[in-house]
Amino acid sequence: EDKVVQSPLSLVVHEGDTVTLNCSYEVTNFRSLLWYKQEKKAPTFLFMLTSSGIEKKSGRLSSILDKKELFSILNITATQTGDSAIYLCAVGWHSGYALNFGKGTSLLVTP
Amino acid sequence: EAQVTQNPRYLITVTGKKLTVTCSQNMNHEYMSWYRQDPGLGLRQIYYSMNVEVTDKGDVPEGYKVSRKEKRNFPLILESPSPNQTSLYFCASGRQVNQPQHFGDGTRLSIL
């Protein structure tokens, strides 16, 4: 069973729309949740959320962590074609040093 | 410039011929990791290392070996590659496991 589940798997929107991407995780020993954006090559870091930092914002992107309901959302407002990418969610646990990624959400923003 | 460098970027080889993918980082990071990325399966962790001479298995370690003799280098070794190891491989490094990781540009391996 997957420890980190992202939804939707794929999304197509028009430029200017607002999108919300979801990431849910198992409860056991949660330490931090990270969001990455992957275009053609390597994933690049967007946000990290922990128990002491449950909301982050950078420009049109923002993210929150709901520790009670065990999920995080990544919000992108006024989308642009340059936002087209795969968005990855990863969770780290107190019980070890591994990092678990979800399968990602593929976002396509059309002109 | 802070970076994680992987080599080669592309490799086509045959079953059973040992290969090594090198990974080097210039940020003095303690944590390094290898992932493979496959369609529909996402990024899966192969091995990780918390520091020099300290390595551990991730989710999909079978068929792979790693070593961490120096802080900056973390090579991935496929002793006897098989077609099911055809994939896109990423090396990453970070100050600690739950800190943001910097990824290399990826190595696309095709095992025939």
Side-chain angles (χ1 to χ4, degrees), chain A residues 16-33:
Chain A
D17 287 351
T18 293
V19 298
T20 299
L21 311 182
N22 302 287
C23 176
S24 62
Y25 59 90
E26 285 184 2
V27 66
T28 312
N29 290 320
F30 168 84
R31 173 151 48 183
S32 63
L33 184 147

Side-chain angles (χ1 to χ4, degrees), chain A residues 31-32 34 36 38 41-43 45 48 88 92-93 97-103, chain B residues 31 35 37 40-43 45 48 50 59 90 97-101 103-105:
Chain A
R31 173 151 48 183
S32 63
L34 301 95
Y36 288 86
Q38 184 179 20
K41 294 194 292 188
F45 170 73
M48 184 169 77
L88 300 166
W93 319 96
Y97 295 93
L99 199 63
N100 293 113
F101 279 81
K103 291 184 171 54
Chain B
Y31 186 85
Y35 300 89
Q37 188 172 37
L41 296 177
L43 268 173
Q45 196 170 37
Y48 58 91
M50 289 76 75
D59 289 328
F90 287 103
V97 58
N98 286 299
Q99 295 295 312
Q101 294 182 42
F103 283 79
D105 284 340

